[in-house]
Amino acid sequence: MDLAPIARTAVSDTIFGRLVEEILTGRLPAGEPLPSERELSLTLQVNRHAVREALKRLQQAGLVRISHGGKTRVLNWRTSAGLDALTGLAAAGVIPTQQIIGDVAVMRRSIAADAARLCARGASPEQRAAITTAAAAYPASGELELVLEADLTFWIAVIDGSGNIAYRLALNTLTAAFEDMGREAIYALGAAEFADRSAHLDLAAAIAAADEDTAYRLAEELLTRFVNACQNWER
């Protein structure tokens, strides 16, 4: 493994990022042992504490298995990593960014449409009111930041109203991934969805009326716009 030294100011974050790239690109293959903490600290010219912190983060990300008293081995990210690996995959160029964004768009549509259905079924009056308020506050047009914040506020309210904590955590991860991959480019791609105030109002009305089928259909139709844009972009 040929790794250049890391600047002392970078510490564990940069060590972590460097090792993530090595693992995701396959330069550190699954099943292979990592160099020891001592070897890594000497190669990268950083202290062992920073290396240890980076290795802990790799284990939490599902990219390595640390065996106390034994070797730290690389895991197969396809079977062990979670959604947090998305931005690492994009940064490492293992999977084209277009494909990752397209795959995220499909997952987002599935989660959000089902969340809208669950929300229409079981949200509290306060949660329905929050969704209605978020839709009413949606800008008809305006700056990128305002539209994206309005869209995120709306979907947070819907997913919180669904009562599904796994959906909420997935939303957090997908939002962070979109941030890392570039909000402006993603907004330009999905403008037909993000900028449609009336569609958000119609969806909020269906949820307020406890109309599960309509809420699901409207959410799926709205989010399919971004999915279609991603598919056209990939071509």
Side-chain angles (χ1 to χ4, degrees):
M1 181 174 60
D2 185 17
L3 294 176
I6 289 175
R8 293 184 183 278
T9 54
V11 293
S12 64
D13 285 347
T14 300
I15 300 169
F16 173 76
R18 182 78 61 82
L19 292 175
V20 165
E21 182 176 355
E22 295 293 316
I23 291 169
L24 294 180
T25 56
R27 290 193 290 268
L28 283 172
E32 289 296 309
L34 284 180
S36 67
E37 287 183 9
R38 179 176 179 277
E39 291 171 323
L40 284 171
S41 65
L42 289 173
T43 300
L44 301 173
Q45 298 182 16
V46 295
N47 64 63
R48 289 183 65 172
H49 175 74
V51 171
R52 190 174 300 119
E53 288 300 311
L55 292 177
K56 287 180 182 177
R57 289 179 61 190
L58 287 174
Q59 180 169 249
Q60 291 167 352
L63 297 177
V64 303
R65 177 179 291 112
I66 298 174
S67 299
H68 297 290
K71 295 284 189 180
T72 295
R73 293 194 177 274
V74 178
L75 298 176
N76 182 344
W77 62 265
R78 287 186 177 273
T79 59
S80 61
L83 287 174
D84 289 338
L86 284 170
T87 51
L89 289 168
V94 180
I95 298 174
T97 300
Q98 294 97 319
Q99 180 182 336
I100 293 175
I101 293 175
D103 289 349
V104 168
V106 171
M107 180 180 178
R108 174 174 173 265
R109 176 180 62 183
S110 299
I111 289 174
D114 192 55
R117 178 183 63 82
L118 293 173
C119 191
R121 175 191 298 174
S124 68
E126 293 77 15
Q127 288 170 327
R128 295 178 200 273
I131 294 164
T132 300
T133 299
Y138 210 94
S141 61
E143 297 178 3
L144 165 66
E145 198 68 24
L146 293 176
V147 173
L148 289 181
E149 287 302 323
D151 184 76
L152 181 58
T153 298
F154 178 82
W155 285 111
I156 286 174
V158 171
I159 288 179
D160 284 350
S162 77
N164 189 309
I165 188 63
Y167 284 177
R168 184 64 166 90
L169 297 178
L171 173 65
N172 295 344
T173 302
L174 298 184
T175 299
F178 277 164
E179 287 281 353
D180 289 342
M181 287 185 277
R183 293 182 80 187
E184 292 190 10
I186 289 170
Y187 173 76
L189 191 62
E193 173 198 323
F194 298 129
D196 192 337
R197 182 175 187 268
S198 63
H200 289 77
L201 287 167
D202 290 344
L203 176 53
I207 291 172
D211 187 341
E212 296 179 42
D213 292 341
T214 300
Y216 183 92
R217 177 179 57 80
L218 291 176
E220 185 177 50
E221 288 175 355
L222 177 60
L223 276 73
T224 292
R225 300 180 194 180
F226 188 30
V227 172
N228 290 341
C230 290
Q231 290 172 346
N232 292 333
W233 181 32
E234 288 175 15
R235 295 193 191 102

